[in-house]
Each structure stands twice: as structure tokens, then as C-alpha cells.
Amino acid sequence: MRRGSLVEGIKRVIVREEYCMGCRLCEIHCITQHSKSKNILKLFKGEEPKPLSGIYFEERGPTSFALQCRHCDDAPCLEACIGGAMYRDPITKRVLHNREKCVGCWMCIMVCPYGVIKADHSEKKVASKCDLCIEAGFPACVENCPNEAVILIDQYGRRVLKEG
Amino acid sequence: MESKYAIIGNSVAAVGAIEAIREIDKEGLITVVSDENVYNYSRPLISYYLGGKVEERNMYFRDKGFYERNNVKLILGKKAQRLDVNKHVVYLADETIIRFEKLLICTGGKPIVPNIEGLSEVREGVFSFTKFSDAKSMLSYIKLNGIKSAVVLGGGLIGLKAAEGLLARGLRVTIVELADRILPNTLDKEASEMLERALVGLGCSVLKGDTIIGVSTTDGVLKEVYLKSGRVIPSSLLVIAIGVRPNLDLIRGTSIGYDRGIIVDDQMQTNIAGIYAAGDVAQAKDFLTSMNSVLALWPVAFRQGKVAGFNMAGKETKYEGLFPMNSVEIAGIPTISFGLSNPQDGENYEVLVKKDGRVPLYRKIVLKDGRIVGGIFLGKIERTGIFVGLLKAGMDVSSFKEELLQDDFGFVVLPESYRKHMIVGEVIET
Ligand SMILES: Cc1cc2nc3c(=O)[nH]c(=O)nc-3n(C[C@H](O)[C@H](O)[C@H](O)COP(=O)(O)OP(=O)(O)OC[C@H]3O[C@@H](n4cnc5c(N)ncnc54)[C@H](O)[C@@H]3O)c2cc1C
Ligand code: SF4
Ligand code: SF4
């Protein structure tokens, strides 16, 4: 069975809505992964400010799914960003966001056809979106989805698994 | 000198072109010429700089190594003076000669200067607001002279952004706008009024249906501004921001075709083979009208530059056309407008509106034949891109149109086939 590589080329997280049970664990693990302590208990006991999750969780009747940045091949957010804050990582090809350069102009929100960029007002106004867990190396939402509804695929549509 | 590619202007269209060319052609020399003596700063950020919200080091939208990494020869502080389209040669102001195979003209726009009596006598105190140097000299003028108030002529995008910057510096600001409301070209009356109330709440005066007819000076320094209505405003700072028009200086007198801007085909090529134009100087296909128009907008300039770059490097690429779209935050209220946000011939359109003047919140979607052609989102702007995407996709939304303005609108509401196509795409093996 050929599997996608974790290292090269664009990856995206997709959701198979038929498998999604609506538990929203993906959001909780996303928030935890992007927090300072990365400690789920501290975070949800309110011991530190919660970051925004990189996920828009959509739900209507029996249908639910998690939606996050697609790391588009031809990403309109990169073209619209007046701050030079959105950039493509030259190696992993992820679309990443530099908070320091961001001016909160919301041009990216205007052009992202997936509507997956949030406006973060916690400190200065900045855009906020999924970074595919750049620090951890593997997306927390994928790793923690109990029903494998959220999966990672490469640019050829092949599933990518966590190594080891 | 010889350069395979020559690019005149060093702003966002140029950067889009450089990146595209280098995707295809790693070697061919690119020479970029700019009469501004600065590295590629972001023009829309000059109001943030003026307001003290962005430091100089963050004004640049590509890192310092960009030109070197992309093997670009950068000539700054020199104007391209003359163009010989037959010989494929550009002459710079200092008589440097550049022979090119492919040329991109992205000379942007020039501020429009109205007829105002006494303006030519002013040595200090009147500024336009389109360049980094404008923001810098305005700021030092304010600091040096302890300026406490300012008049801004023009309540469009650039005028309001200048006003924002000045308000952030603690100045009292009066905006003078000829139309009956601010942002008349992009918003409707309702949205304009919400923003105006917020501006007035910050202590800004907004004078509508009025304009400046004269100015007076003492020793060459601006002293008073005279309005058409008869009003006189004492002020030592006037910002003229009534818009920009394509900068055609370089191509006037050549055989390159222009109307308002340089006319280009859907590969961003002018009527002369090998010569391209992009950005604020170009008049290109408009997605909504299928006519050619000048859209002086950042994302448009980037996309056009990129398409031009691909075609210059030999990868045939089509420009699909864009439409007006902008995102601004005025007095703390984020506002996005796109497409035909305020159609005049109302009966041909269906308009959906949701509003709350107290918050304020305003959401409007304009439909034609069941398809989204424009909209305004004020107050809450997250996920607006989905609507812009539906416009581009030409999707018929009539079967779920009452959902469009619901708070939980999202892909879950869209037909399953479109949703899956968008959010899952092709998965070979799971
Ligand atoms: C204050 C302000 C705020 C803005 N805010 C927004 C916003 O929020 N959103 C948005 O979408 N757009 C905004 N814009 C518009 C946006 O900045 C422009 O659409 C964009 O910069 C156009 O890029 P361009 O590459 O076409 O050319 P420009 O940015 O206009 O640059 C052209 C360059 O070419 C140089 N040049 C001209 N002629 C010659 C010559 N003969 N020789 C050498 N060099 C030459 C010029 O000096 C200039 O440096 C704003 C503009 C201003 C002024
Ligand atoms: S933010 Fe939106 S436009 Fe940008 S890469 Fe992600 S999905 Fe694509
Ligand atoms: S909000 Fe930030 S990331 Fe988005 S376009 Fe503006 S500067 Fe770029």
C-alpha cells in the first residue's frame, strides 16, 4: 500500500463527514496543542488564556464536520495579504502566518473561499488559522479523532499516517 | 545592458511577476526599476505607519533576501524615462539603457490633484498620501510643528485611511467629501452611515456634499482651507486623497494602446507583443461585467502581475478577471465589500439584508438570477470569503438563499456535492 510522505509536498487535513460523530475533540486538541503549556487540564480549568482553534466546526442536524485551512496550491490569501504575514513555507509548502507582521486588515478573510481564517482579538488584532501543528509535526486533530473522520492527505490524495 | 525581463515599478504587481517568472525560468535575468528609493514596502501599510501601528521594519512584504534569492537586478531611485517599443529598449533618467525581451509595465497610479485656488503657493502643509515618503514627511511635519488638526479631502478608501492614521496620532480631523456619504463607491448608504457615526464618535468631523475650492498661506505654510459651502477651516495640514489614476507617463507617445489604463488581453499583454502591463496601471478584464476596467486593488495587482509573469516566462496562463473587493477597518469597525455591493438599477437584483444599528452589524447580499454578485459585511466579517468564493464559482444559491445571512451559515448548508468537492476534494485511498 503506497502511503503519502509526511515530509514532502502540500498536505491537507480533510474530514469524512460520514465518520464524524460531532464530538469536537479535534477542537479541544487543537486548542491544547497551540497553548503555552500544552496541558489540557490546566487549559480547561482556566489557568491560562485559551488560543483560538484552527477549526471551524460546522453542524446541522445529523451532519457535522471540522473544517480547517486547506493549504491551497493556489492560495488567494497569499496574494491578498498586505502585511506580508501569510507565507508559504518553502520546504513543507504549508501556508503559514506570521503574527508579528499581521496588521489585522482581514484581506485574507475576504478572499479565503473556505472561510477558515479567524479574527483573533486576544492581544493585538491578528488573523489566526490552522498551521498543521507545525511545532508537533503531526496535526493534533488527526491524531486525536476517535473515529478517523479527520485524516491527513498529501497532494495526490493519499492518506498520510503519523510515523512511528 | 541586456536583461531578458525588465519590470518597471517595484510594488506588488512586480513581486507577483518575479515569483511567477522564477517558478518557470530560474535563470533569465530580471531587472526591476523603481523611481522610489526604497525596497518593496506595502503601500496599504502607510496609514498604519502614519498611525504608529506598524514599525518601519514591518513595512516590507518580502524579506531582505528576496531579490538576491530570485536573481533580480534591482535599480532603485531611477525613473524609466522613455520606451522604444520597436527596439525593445527602456531608457532610464540617467540614460542607462536596458534592452529586454519581455517587459512588464507596473507603474501603478498617481494621485489626482484637483484644481484648488492658491494650491501652487503652498510650500508646506499639503500632502498626497500614496507613498511611504508621504507618510514619513507628513509625520515629521506634524512633529516638528506640533500640528493638532488636519483636513482630509476625500472620503474614499485612501482618505479614510489617512484620517485613521491622523486620529491615532491624536489630531482633530475633518473629512471633506463631495458625495453625500463616505466610501460612496464601495458601500451603500446604510453601511456608510454606520461608519460615519463611528468616526464622529471618535471626534472626527465629516462634511459631506462639500469640497475645497481654495487655500491660503502665511510664508508659504498652509493657514486656511476654504470650502465650497463658504465654510473656512483654519488648518496647517491638508491631505489630498481624492483618488489615483493610472500612471501612463512612460507609455504616452508610444504605440501601446490605452484608455483609462493600459489595455491588456487575458494574458496581461498589451497590443505590442512582448510588452505586458499589470496592477493599478492596467485596464483588464472585469469578472462581473466582462468589460475592461481599472481596479486599483492590492490582490488584483498581485494576481495580474503573477499572470503576466507566467506568460512572460512562457507558461500560457489566463487571467480570469476579478472584481472590486476591499476590507477596511474604520473606527474599529471591520467592513468588507465585494462585487456589485450597491446596484443602482435595483429592480434587476434581489437584495438580502440583516442589520443592527446598535452593535453595529450589517450584512447584505446582492443576487442576480439566483447568483451572488456582491455584498457588504460590516461588524462581523469572519467567513465572508465563502460568499466571495460562491460569486466566483457562479453557484446558484436560490435553493438555500434564506440561509445565507444566518449566523451559522457555512458549508453545512451548501448542497452536498459542492460541499464535498470543496472540502474533501479527490481522495484516492483512505
Ligand atoms: C494609502 C493607501 C491604502 C491602500 N489600501 C488598500 C487596501 O486596503 N486594500 C487594497 O486592496 N488596496 C489598497 N490600496 C491600493 C494598493 O496599494 C494598490 O492597488 C497597489 O499598490 C498597486 O500595486 P502596483 O504594483 O500596481 O503599483 P504601485 O503600488 O502603485 O507601485 C508602482 C510603482 O512604480 C513606480 N513607478 C511609476 N512610474 C515609474 C517609472 N517611470 N520609472 C520607475 N518607477 C516608476 C512608482 O513610483 C511606484 O513605486 C491602497 C493604496 C493606498 C495609497
Ligand atoms: S487560509 Fe484559506 S485561502 Fe489560505 S491556504 Fe488556507 S484555505 Fe487556502
Ligand atoms: S489580516 Fe494579517 S494575515 Fe490577513 S491579510 Fe491582513 S496582514 Fe495578512
Side-chain angles (χ1 to χ4, degrees):
Chain A
M1 191 162 43
R2 249 180 83 60
R3 291 289 189 203
S5 151
L6 193 55
V7 190
E8 296 146 33
I10 296 184
K11 307 285 174 306
R12 55 183 59 92
V13 173
I14 59 158
V15 68
R16 301 178 291 177
E17 61 181 58
E18 340 37 276
Y19 293 85
C20 178
M21 308 177 294
C23 67
R24 304 182 79 143
L25 275 171
C26 49
E27 279 185 304
I28 292 176
H29 286 280
C30 179
I31 292 170
T32 308
Q33 174 56 38
H34 293 91
S35 68
K36 284 201 186 74
S37 67
K38 315 222 182 306
N39 181 317
I40 197 166
L41 289 176
K42 268 195 191 160
L43 198 60
F44 286 87
K45 272 196 235 149
E47 286 170 23
E48 64 173 83
K50 284 201 203 63
L52 291 176
S53 89
I55 296 170
Y56 268 96
F57 196 84
E58 295 201 22
E59 197 166 18
R60 182 71 73 93
T63 309
S64 62
F65 52 86
L67 191 61
Q68 53 285 85
C69 171
R70 309 279 94 183
H71 300 271
C72 305
D73 295 323
D74 195 5
C77 61
L78 293 175
E79 300 182 7
C81 179
I82 62 170
M86 287 284 183
Y87 66 100
R88 191 181 296 284
D89 185 83
I91 295 158
T92 63
K93 306 291 181 207
R94 297 169 188 204
V95 174
L96 298 176
H97 174 252
N98 178 343
R99 290 171 80 93
E100 200 217 322
K101 293 207 82 182
C102 180
V103 297
C105 67
W106 319 133
M107 294 286 285
C108 53
I109 288 183
M110 170 177 79
V111 299
C112 171
Y114 298 97
V116 292
I117 303 173
K118 293 183 183 176
D120 182 350
H121 294 270
S122 58
E123 293 161 44
K124 67 166 193 170
K125 287 178 198 166
V126 288
S128 168
K129 72 168 195 67
C130 160
D131 61 357
L132 285 176
C133 291
I134 192 86
E135 270 186 58
F138 194 80
C141 53
V142 176
E143 192 171 355
N144 291 288
C145 176
N147 216 24
E148 296 188 24
V150 193
I151 60 171
L152 187 68
I153 58 165
D154 70 7
Q155 72 262 48
Y156 309 109
R158 296 179 309 204
R159 187 162 172 188
V160 180
L161 300 175
K162 190 173 179 178
E163 281 160 350
Chain B
M1 63 187 230
E2 309 261 337
S3 182
K4 182 164 184 195
Y5 307 98
I7 299 178
I8 311 302
N10 176 34
S11 183
V12 57
V15 166
I18 293 167
E19 290 180 349
I21 291 172
R22 282 293 173 250
E23 264 186 49
I24 310 300
D25 177 354
K26 303 267 185 254
E27 254 124 65
L29 182 64
I30 304 175
T31 302
V32 175
V33 180
S34 172
D35 58 2
E36 283 190 87
N37 206 358
V38 283
Y39 195 72
N40 69 32
Y41 69 94
S42 167
R43 202 167 298 286
L45 290 189
I46 65 172
S47 60
Y48 293 79
Y49 179 84
L50 178 66
K53 291 174 183 157
V54 168
E55 290 170 45
E56 172 142 11
R57 71 192 158 95
N58 282 333
M59 287 295 286
Y60 304 95
F61 64 102
R62 288 293 181 273
D63 66 85
K64 276 265 186 282
F66 176 78
Y67 295 93
E68 205 174 315
R69 215 170 39 247
N70 285 298
N71 186 18
V72 173
K73 185 171 164 50
L74 186 59
I75 302 178
L76 293 180
K78 282 187 193 166
K79 189 170 177 168
Q81 199 75 289
R82 204 157 54 79
L83 171 64
D84 187 327
V85 298
N86 299 320
K87 292 194 187 138
H88 273 213
V89 173
V90 186
Y91 302 86
L92 307 192
D94 64 352
E95 291 302 312
T96 307
I97 293 173
I98 303 172
R99 253 173 252 286
F100 58 83
E101 273 173 45
K102 300 284 163 70
L103 174 72
L104 175 62
I105 302 168
C106 44
T107 48
K110 263 188 165 180
I112 300 171
V113 182
N115 257 332
I116 294 176
E117 212 184 305
L119 199 60
S120 56
E121 273 111 75
V122 186
R123 278 188 293 105
E124 273 191 291
V126 177
F127 297 85
S128 48
F129 195 58
T130 59
K131 298 190 173 214
F132 197 6
S133 58
D134 293 332
K136 283 184 163 172
S137 46
M138 202 189 302
L139 203 53
S140 59
Y141 176 77
I142 290 169
K143 287 184 174 161
L144 212 63
N145 300 288
I147 305 292
K148 298 276 184 302
S149 70
V151 177
V152 175
L153 178 62
L157 174 71
I158 299 178
L160 291 187
K161 286 194 151 194
E164 281 269 316
L166 294 168
L167 286 165
R169 290 278 170 189
L171 273 74
R172 270 179 292 111
V173 177
T174 304
I175 297 170
V176 182
E177 165 59 49
L178 191 57
D180 63 346
R181 55 202 177 80
I182 56 173
L183 286 171
N185 298 328
T186 45
L187 299 185
D188 62 11
K189 204 163 165 51
E190 200 109 29
S192 293
E193 283 171 359
M194 286 182 177
L195 294 186
E196 185 185 327
R197 275 197 295 278
L199 270 172
V200 171
L202 291 181
C204 181
S205 314
V206 182
L207 307 176
K208 295 159 295 178
D210 210 345
T211 189
I212 297 175
I213 53 165
V215 291
S216 68
T217 51
T218 342
D219 299 331
V221 179
L222 182 73
K223 192 169 137 237
E224 282 170 325
V225 172
Y226 303 101
L227 304 191
K228 191 159 178 236
S229 58
R231 214 187 277 243
V232 181
I233 310 175
S235 179
S236 306
L237 175 56
L238 168 63
V239 184
I240 296 181
I242 55 173
V244 293
R245 67 161 67 97
N247 181 352
L248 300 170
D249 293 355
L250 184 62
I251 63 123
R252 281 218 177 85
T254 70
S255 50
I256 295 174
Y258 65 90
D259 173 29
R260 266 200 69 216
I262 300 175
I263 297 175
V264 290
D265 61 17
D266 62 9
Q267 295 192 11
M268 304 312 293
Q269 189 162 227
T270 66
N271 59 326
I272 309 289
I275 300 185
Y276 297 75
D280 286 13
V281 77
Q283 186 168 332
K285 182 176 162 193
D286 186 312
F287 183 86
L288 282 170
T289 60
S290 293
M291 310 240 290
N292 273 18
S293 67
V294 175
L295 289 175
L297 296 165
W298 179 274
V300 175
F302 195 109
R303 169 59 53 152
Q304 292 184 349
K306 186 167 164 181
V307 170
F310 279 137
N311 287 307
M312 288 162 77
K315 181 184 174 190
E316 212 170 286
T317 306
K318 198 171 160 210
Y319 177 65
E320 303 292 344
L322 278 166
F323 41 87
M325 54 168 105
N326 218 336
S327 171
V328 285
E329 191 159 304
I330 302 297
I333 302 173
T335 306
I336 291 175
S337 59
F338 61 92
L340 210 55
S341 58
N342 187 29
Q344 294 311 304
D345 45 342
E347 65 273 20
N348 295 323
Y349 298 90
E350 186 179 354
V351 175
L352 313 171
V353 170
K354 186 173 182 177
K355 66 183 166 195
D356 184 343
R358 291 158 306 168
V359 183
L361 179 108
Y362 185 63
R363 317 192 105 196
K364 170 182 178 177
I365 288 179
V366 182
L367 303 173
K368 188 166 200 276
D369 306 326
R371 289 172 172 79
I372 296 177
V373 293
I376 300 174
F377 287 79
L378 180 151
K380 253 186 79 200
I381 45 82
E382 279 183 357
R383 312 214 83 184
T384 303
I386 298 178
F387 301 102
V388 175
L390 289 170
L391 190 166
K392 278 191 192 161
M395 173 108 176
D396 188 339
V397 299
S398 31
S399 64
F400 53 89
K401 70 178 182 205
E402 53 297 325
E403 301 270 12
L404 293 172
L405 293 179
Q406 297 295 335
D407 286 339
D408 65 345
F409 175 80
F411 283 89
V412 74
V413 173
L414 299 181
E416 197 175 328
S417 60
Y418 181 75
R419 174 168 81 231
K420 288 203 165 160
H421 160 71
M422 281 292 277
I423 67 179
V424 183
E426 291 296 312
V427 179
I428 297 170
E429 173 210 315
T430 50

